[in-house]
């Protein structure tokens, strides 16, 4: 199985900040990496696929980069609605696996 | 726009079988571009991929659940189903159905739409 790790596990930020979350795969997954946002009590929302492509309707304040084993999600101009937990996920090979999540909360 | 809706019992006794259904609306379940997926999330924990099914009935399962798991599809009713046998408290989770999309027609599928989820508690 491909193991996904994320750092940090949590971070505190202020409205207007730019934050970056890192995701690492235990082996090369090319660019088969997705990012999801989850708010408490809600279903995950798909943000990014293919490491850097925005899902339809997702604002451009979200951006992704990386290839191989190291990936990043950047959120610009953090707004109150962006405070949530973010997960990465590889779909390069089965079983599909998720990172443990990064919780972004208000400083 | 596709919508997915999970349904099924919210409480299952230990050793019994957990059965859920996901109804798909707003798009064709028979499109070759999608795999129809089950994912779960234990309370306060992360996400676990359970498995998915193509409209033809072809499946991929998580090996950690494979011996207890069946995913099936009914294209005429536009739904797919999950059946997990011999459940324990460790199977208590919010269960999500989702659509996995082959965005480049290259055989790699990324989740793009999710249901709202349904909590299943395993308890006597």
């Amino acid at each position: 199985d491909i193991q996904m790790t994320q750092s940090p596990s949590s971070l505190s930020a202020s409205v207007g900040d730019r934050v970056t979350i890192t995701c690492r795969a235990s082996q090369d997954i090319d660019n088969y990496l997705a990012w999801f946002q989850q708010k408490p009590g809600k279903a995950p929302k798909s943000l990014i696929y293919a490491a850097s492509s925005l899902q339809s309707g997702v604002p451009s304040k979200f951006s992704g980069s990386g290839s191989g084993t190291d990936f990043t999600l950047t959120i610009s101009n953090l707004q109150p609605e962006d405070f949530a937990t973010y997960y990465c996920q590889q779909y390069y090979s089965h079983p599909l696996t998720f990172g443990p999540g990064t919780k972004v909360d208000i400083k | 726009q596709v919508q997915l809706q999970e349904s099924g019992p919210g409480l299952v006794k230990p050793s019994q079988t957990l059965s859920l259904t996901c109804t798909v609306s707003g798009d064709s379940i028979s499109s070759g571009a999608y795999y129809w997926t089950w994912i779960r999330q234990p309370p306060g924990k992360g996400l676990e991929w359970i498995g998915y099914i193509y409209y033809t009935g072809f499946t991929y399962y998580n090996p950690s659940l494979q011996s207890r798991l069946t995913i099936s599809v009914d294209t005429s009713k536009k739904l797919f189903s999950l059946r997990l046998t011999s459940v324990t408290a460790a199977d208590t989770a919010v269960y999500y159905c989702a659509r996995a999309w082959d965005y480049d027609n290259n055989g790699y599928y990324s989740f793009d739409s999710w249901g709202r989820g349904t909590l299943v508690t395993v308890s006597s």
Side-chain angles (χ1 to χ4, degrees), chain A residues 39-55:
Chain A
K39 298 179 181 179
K42 300 295 186 182
K45 175 185 176 182
S46 300
L47 296 177
I48 286 172
Y49 64 97
S52 61
S53 297
L54 289 179
Q55 289 282 359

Side-chain angles (χ1 to χ4, degrees), chain A residues 94 96, chain B residues 4 20-24 28-39 49-62 69-75 78-83 96-102 109 111:
Chain A
H94 300 102
L96 311 185
Chain B
L4 301 99
L20 295 173
T21 295
C22 180
T23 301
V24 179
S28 172
I29 199 171
S30 300
S31 168
Y34 307 127
Y35 266 89
W36 303 96
T37 308
W38 288 101
I39 293 160
W49 174 73
I50 297 171
Y52 52 26
I53 189 165
Y54 200 56
Y55 77 97
T56 58
F58 188 79
T59 55
Y60 284 99
Y61 292 162
N62 192 322
L69 179 63
T70 302
I71 298 176
S72 58
V73 64
D74 187 332
T75 55
K78 297 190 69 173
L79 59 82
F80 60 105
S81 301
L82 165 74
R83 187 171 177 267
Y96 297 100
C97 58
R99 186 177 75 175
W101 165 50
D102 184 357
Y109 293 77
F111 306 132

Side-chain angles (χ1 to χ4, degrees), chain A residues 38 43 46 55 87 91 94, chain B residues 41 52 96 103 108 111 114-115:
Chain A
Q38 188 177 34
S46 300
Q55 289 282 359
Y87 294 92
Y91 53 98
H94 300 102
Chain B
Q41 185 172 37
Y52 52 26
Y96 297 100
Y103 50 91
Y108 292 90
F111 306 132
W114 297 68

Side-chain angles (χ1 to χ4, degrees), chain A residues 33-101:
Chain A
L33 190 283
W35 289 97
F36 305 93
Q37 174 195 65
Q38 188 177 34
K39 298 179 181 179
K42 300 295 186 182
K45 175 185 176 182
S46 300
L47 296 177
I48 286 172
Y49 64 97
S52 61
S53 297
L54 289 179
Q55 289 282 359
S56 176
V58 174
S60 58
K61 63 186 305 181
F62 294 95
S63 62
S65 65
S67 184
T69 60
D70 294 317
F71 302 86
T72 60
L73 172 70
T74 299
I75 311 169
S76 301
N77 188 22
L78 208 61
Q79 293 299 303
E81 61 268 25
D82 302 326
F83 292 95
T85 299
Y86 293 86
Y87 294 92
C88 62
Q89 178 247 333
Q90 66 82 19
Y91 53 98
Y92 177 75
S93 70
H94 300 102
L96 311 185
T97 48
F98 292 86

